[in-house]
Amino acid sequence: MIDVKLPDIGEGIAEGEIVKWSVQKGDTIHQDAPLLEVLTDKASVEIPAPATGVVQELLFAEGDLVPVGGIVARIQSENDAPASAPQAPAVSHDEAPAQQQSVAPGHQTPERSRTDILATPSVRRLALEKGIDLHQVQGSGPYGRILREDIEQLSPAKAPEAPQAQPEPTVAPAQAAANEERIPLRGIRRKIADQMVKAKFTAPDFFYGDEADLTELVHFRQNLAAELKAEGIKLTYLPFIIKAVISGLKAYPTLNASLDDEAQEIVLKKDYHIGFATDSPNGLFVPVIHHADRLSIIELSQEIQRLAERVREGKASGAEMRGGTFTITNIGAIGGTQCSPIINHPEVGIMGVNKIYQKPMVHEGEIAIRWACNICLSFDHRVVDGADGARFSNHVIHLLQNPQRLLLET
């Protein structure tokens, strides 16, 4: 019997969500054939079968969260002779006690580090608000996962001095009314929710916005786009924006950084890995252009097109979704003149580009119809001062308003 464990599928990843099983109990599966898909860091990872055999058990359902190293399935290897009577799963004597401790409620568990604790950001926040140390909480969820109910039971507000008091009436599970539809918070949407909560409750952000006159850029791009289209290259505004942002990050390096909370150190990034928000049928993804500073406008266009297609087809790898140092969200392709983007933690800055539209503006002392765009930025105020955020914005806007100058940037 082979125990199939969830492998370590990325640095810092403690758990994954089962998106889809590719087999059912009793199926015969061949080695390296798809066994299941696991979601982590907004990327689906396909886990293959480690050997050929018959699927004996699927220990989790689709939508369940599984810790790295947890057993997700058991396969009877084709090399094993069939047993005449049911036998217990083949688990070594060293593994068995550890597994029992991980799932048995009420058992004492060893001291855990923060990364060993299985709990969502909302549960961590609730524990912090109530002054409860998560290291001392025995989780009742799968593999010791700490649930909101575990925190509520330990809350001082529960008045332990009056244990005989009548319990609150049991609330029936939420049911949809005739004119409602309930959708489980799973998959990409759950990952987005966790990331947004973590970002908003970790980084004290501040918002900065300014208006840019992009008339010259509009004309410049239009002239180049027609020529490049014949070569199969779709030239959008995003490559120009990325070039301008990288120049600004080089001028103001605290914006291309992260904050190590435990070490209390600001980590300045020497590489420029730019993420760009991409809408897809499966949700919002942020693929990353690694070493974007080394690419030309045309090369950036090609990489944007390649990554966007992989995201929409659901083929983006974990490596293509991780490691960003700054994020750009181009909401203007859909519409809207203002936005307040949420920082993509652990980064310290994000820029929102709104729609480019015509409006009367003062140009060279006269009223003229120009192409305007509002540039909106959010910064982690623990790392980025307001003055640096404003200067960064001015730097980027200056380059976007002068596209010929932008081409001289390295």
Side-chain angles (χ1 to χ4, degrees), residues 24-74:
Q24 295 180 351
K25 182 179 179 180
D27 287 353
T28 298
I29 189 170
H30 295 281
Q31 184 174 357
D32 296 328
L35 179 63
L36 73 158
E37 288 185 17
V38 176
L39 178 69
T40 176
D41 275 6
K42 299 186 180 180
S44 291
V45 180
E46 190 174 77
I47 308 298
T52 299
V54 177
V55 178
Q56 296 295 320
E57 288 184 273
L58 302 179
L59 301 181
F60 292 90
E62 294 178 356
D64 285 349
L65 292 172
V66 184
V68 169
I71 300 174
V72 296
R74 291 190 172 97

Side-chain angles (χ1 to χ4, degrees), residues 3 13 46 51 91 102 124 131 143 160 200 235 269 277 299 307 333 351 360 366 389 398:
D3 289 341
I13 301 300
E46 190 174 77
V91 180
S102 65
R124 293 176 186 272
Y143 286 87
K200 290 301 290 185
L235 182 63
K269 310 292 185 176
E299 290 171 332
L307 287 172
M351 186 169 82
E366 297 182 355
H398 172 73

Side-chain angles (χ1 to χ4, degrees), residues 245-304:
V245 163
I246 291 172
S247 176
L249 295 176
K250 290 181 177 179
Y252 301 97
T254 55
L255 277 73
N256 196 57
S258 64
L259 180 63
D260 187 333
D261 291 291
E262 292 187 4
Q264 287 296 288
E265 294 175 340
I266 296 173
V267 183
L268 301 180
K269 310 292 185 176
K270 302 300 183 181
D271 294 315
Y272 300 90
H273 305 323
I274 307 301
F276 62 99
T278 302
D279 193 20
S280 81
N282 297 319
L284 182 68
F285 289 77
V286 184
V288 177
I289 303 176
H290 293 87
H291 302 291
D293 56 314
R294 304 176 186 176
L295 304 180
S296 67
I297 293 290
I298 292 179
E299 290 171 332
L300 285 171
S301 298
Q302 294 171 326
E303 186 66 358
I304 291 167

